[in-house]
Amino acid sequence: MNDTITRDAPAQAVEAPAGQKKVFLKTYGCQMNVYDSQRMSDALAADGYQPTDVIEDADLVLLNTCHIREKAAEKVYSALGRLKQLKEDRAAAGRETIVGVAGCVAQAEGEEIIRRAPVVDLVIGPQTYHRLPQAVRRARGGERIIETDYALEDKFEHLPAPKKASVRARGVTAFLTVQEGCDKFCTFCVVPYTRGSEVSRPVSQIVAEAERLADAGIREVTLLGQNVNAWHGEGPDGREWGLGQLLFRLAEIPGLARLRYTTSHPRDMDDALIAAHRDLPSLMPYLHLPIQSGSDRILKAMNRKHTAADYLRLIERIRAARADIAMSGDFIVGFPGETDADFEATMQLIRDVGYAQAFSFKYSPRPGTPGADMKFHVDEDVKTERLLALQALIAKQQLDFALGLVGSEMDVLIEKPGRNAGQRVGKSPWLQPVIVDEMAGEIGDIVRVRITKAGSNSLFSEPVRAE
């Protein structure tokens, strides 16, 4: 998944009653962690915890962590070092603070976190969030809690449904996890070890959650999974459904105007899913389809089990079904053994595809993965040089895509107030922020605009008014 997001769990603009417990929840990593943080917040709300964005006021501090890259894990330990002083200061004032670590670092390192950061009272993995309130109560009783076993029960069935008010407070778009875990075992990736094997939620559970979101005013839902297009859940007819069929069902929900999904694997992009892009107006014409490298030699070393030519043929089929679809991808530079020729193959693939957006990273060895034990690791300065060159090419393609939209008309979902007076910010079908006039519509409206200018990160527009 895209692992560039780092944000706090949304705090609701509601004053907590005197004496009510408060939780500060910091999220690192991917969209699924953002979704997990929201569900943990919902579970804690049912146990009397009010979200706060002021860490000094928190009775419970939770760090929802990412383990994809080494620096992400080190950020967590740095934050825990700072929390030690906060906990001591609050204790001196007679106020107890529970510190917890959740997410993939918690799953991967477990007892090591307690050993390395004694400030931590609670470690809980991604498969046991439904047990979080009970774990916090035990921690308040003086226990040191490590909950990293894979739960036998379905955590989604045991998590409380979010209240309508809390959903509305988060905006008009929402994430919805439909699939967790990964069976692909790419040699660079720690996800199979932290999230477990692929598990798909049943259709009934997904539809019920989507209907609650729509009822609360959500206009756009993004389906999440480590390999979301590997989703195969039990349908109401007793048969196994694929993601394409699920999207057709979700498109029937009143009020739910836009659908997206991420992150996909090229090997799981089937005909039914491509047909959904062709036939569903509510499925947005934007597809995040990582390849990681354009070199067949490196793809084999990564255990991707497809070639660059396979990927390019798949892109052709997708674009034949939906001509206006925009592609996004992930790229890793400096994988062990990557030569200049391998890197140039990646650059050529990027030129051939033409991406509207992409995420790129230097290879980071993760303990326990096969890649960490491979020979011929690439020098750090070579990785940096290659990353800068790749990002420059992606930035040019992204700007070219945006400039190509100038003069066109599109539907924009208005999401929030703009920074400047008289403006609001919406989202294009291709995920770009769009600046719109506040007279164009209210938050939650989908309005027709004409693009007048393209910046490096945003589009600017004017309303299209009926004659």
Side-chain angles (χ1 to χ4, degrees), residues 126-140:
Q127 305 307 322
T128 50
Y129 291 152
H130 56 297
R131 301 177 187 169
L132 178 61
Q134 296 91 333
V136 171
R137 289 195 293 270
R138 289 165 57 199
R140 288 204 175 281

Side-chain angles (χ1 to χ4, degrees), residues 32-45:
M32 190 174 287
N33 267 13
V34 175
Y35 172 86
D36 284 346
S37 289
Q38 292 172 348
R39 298 307 304 271
M40 283 192 284
S41 182
D42 295 333
L44 290 166

Side-chain angles (χ1 to χ4, degrees), residues 60 261 277 377 458:
L60 170 62
Y261 62 92
H277 279 284
H377 281 257
S458 300

Side-chain angles (χ1 to χ4, degrees), residues 67 104 107-109 126 148 150 181-182 185-197 366-371:
H67 202 251
C104 292
Q107 187 68 43
E109 304 196 8
T148 55
Y150 289 104
C182 183
F185 287 93
C186 298
T187 55
F188 55 82
C189 186
V190 75
V191 165
Y193 311 101
T194 58
R195 289 276 182 171
S197 59
R366 307 311 296 129
T369 61

Side-chain angles (χ1 to χ4, degrees), residues 53-375:
D53 55 7
V54 180
I55 192 170
E56 291 79 9
D57 293 343
D59 304 284
L60 170 62
V61 176
L62 276 175
L63 306 182
N64 190 10
T65 61
C66 171
H67 202 251
I68 290 292
R69 300 182 203 292
E70 183 177 8
K71 288 184 179 179
E74 289 305 317
K75 283 181 183 178
V76 174
Y77 284 109
S78 296
L80 291 173
R82 294 189 294 272
L83 282 172
K84 181 175 183 292
Q85 187 62 51
L86 172 67
K87 188 171 183 175
E88 290 174 353
D89 291 344
R90 282 178 56 92
R95 301 169 67 189
E96 182 187 29
T97 307
I98 298 297
V99 175
V101 178
C104 292
V105 173
Q107 187 68 43
E109 304 196 8
E111 293 183 4
E112 173 69 8
I113 295 173
I114 298 287
R115 186 197 65 78
R116 187 170 168 183
V119 68
V120 175
D121 305 288
L122 166 68
V123 177
I124 189 163
Q127 305 307 322
T128 50
Y129 291 152
H130 56 297
R131 301 177 187 169
L132 178 61
Q134 296 91 333
V136 171
R137 289 195 293 270
R138 289 165 57 199
R140 288 204 175 281
E143 289 187 61
R144 304 293 289 279
I145 307 299
I146 301 176
E147 283 269 12
T148 55
D149 292 336
Y150 289 104
L152 296 177
E153 67 271 30
D154 179 358
K155 73 175 181 182
F156 294 102
E157 284 188 354
H158 291 80
L159 284 167
K163 295 181 179 179
K164 186 180 292 188
S166 69
V167 173
R168 285 177 175 162
R170 292 167 184 162
V172 295
T173 66
F175 295 130
L176 199 172
T177 292
V178 300
Q179 180 268 342
E180 284 193 288
C182 183
D183 295 340
K184 300 298 187 290
F185 287 93
C186 298
T187 55
F188 55 82
C189 186
V190 75
V191 165
Y193 311 101
T194 58
R195 289 276 182 171
S197 59
E198 291 177 0
V199 176
S200 296
R201 297 175 69 184
V203 173
S204 59
Q205 209 178 84
I206 296 167
V207 170
E209 185 170 342
E211 288 175 337
R212 286 195 297 269
L213 293 172
D215 184 54
I218 296 298
R219 304 301 314 280
E220 175 182 295
V221 165
T222 300
L223 307 182
L224 298 180
Q226 266 81 34
N227 279 324
V228 68
N229 59 343
W231 177 88
H232 285 88
E234 182 184 353
D237 54 4
R239 296 185 299 107
E240 187 178 78
W241 287 22
L243 187 63
Q245 191 171 3
L246 175 65
L247 287 164
F248 275 96
R249 173 63 184 90
L250 295 176
E252 298 172 358
I253 296 175
L256 205 56
R258 290 184 164 190
L259 297 170
R260 302 181 188 272
Y261 62 92
T262 194
T263 292
S264 296
H265 195 289
R267 288 164 50 199
D268 294 315
M269 200 79 197
D270 61 18
D271 291 342
L273 187 50
I274 295 174
H277 279 284
R278 181 191 65 210
D279 298 334
L280 281 180
S282 60
L283 181 56
M284 292 296 95
Y286 179 91
L287 177 59
H288 186 65
L289 192 64
I291 183 172
Q292 310 299 351
S293 173
S295 162
D296 287 347
R297 194 177 69 85
I298 296 299
L299 288 171
K300 184 176 181 180
M302 289 178 167
N303 195 37
R304 295 289 291 176
K305 296 184 179 176
H306 62 78
T307 66
D310 294 335
Y311 182 84
L312 291 172
R313 283 192 295 269
L314 179 58
I315 298 295
E316 287 180 5
R317 290 175 56 213
I318 294 166
R319 284 177 166 160
R322 184 73 189 260
D324 64 341
I325 200 163
M327 301 304 303
S328 172
D330 287 348
F331 294 94
I332 294 172
V333 302
F335 189 79
E338 183 186 69
T339 64
D340 289 343
D342 294 321
F343 176 67
E344 175 54 31
T346 298
M347 295 288 277
Q348 187 57 50
L349 182 136
I350 293 171
R351 296 184 197 105
D352 291 341
V353 172
Y355 288 92
Q357 188 180 22
F359 303 95
S360 52
F361 312 92
K362 291 189 285 187
Y363 172 71
S364 174
R366 307 311 296 129
T369 61
D373 297 326
M374 288 182 177
K375 298 178 181 179

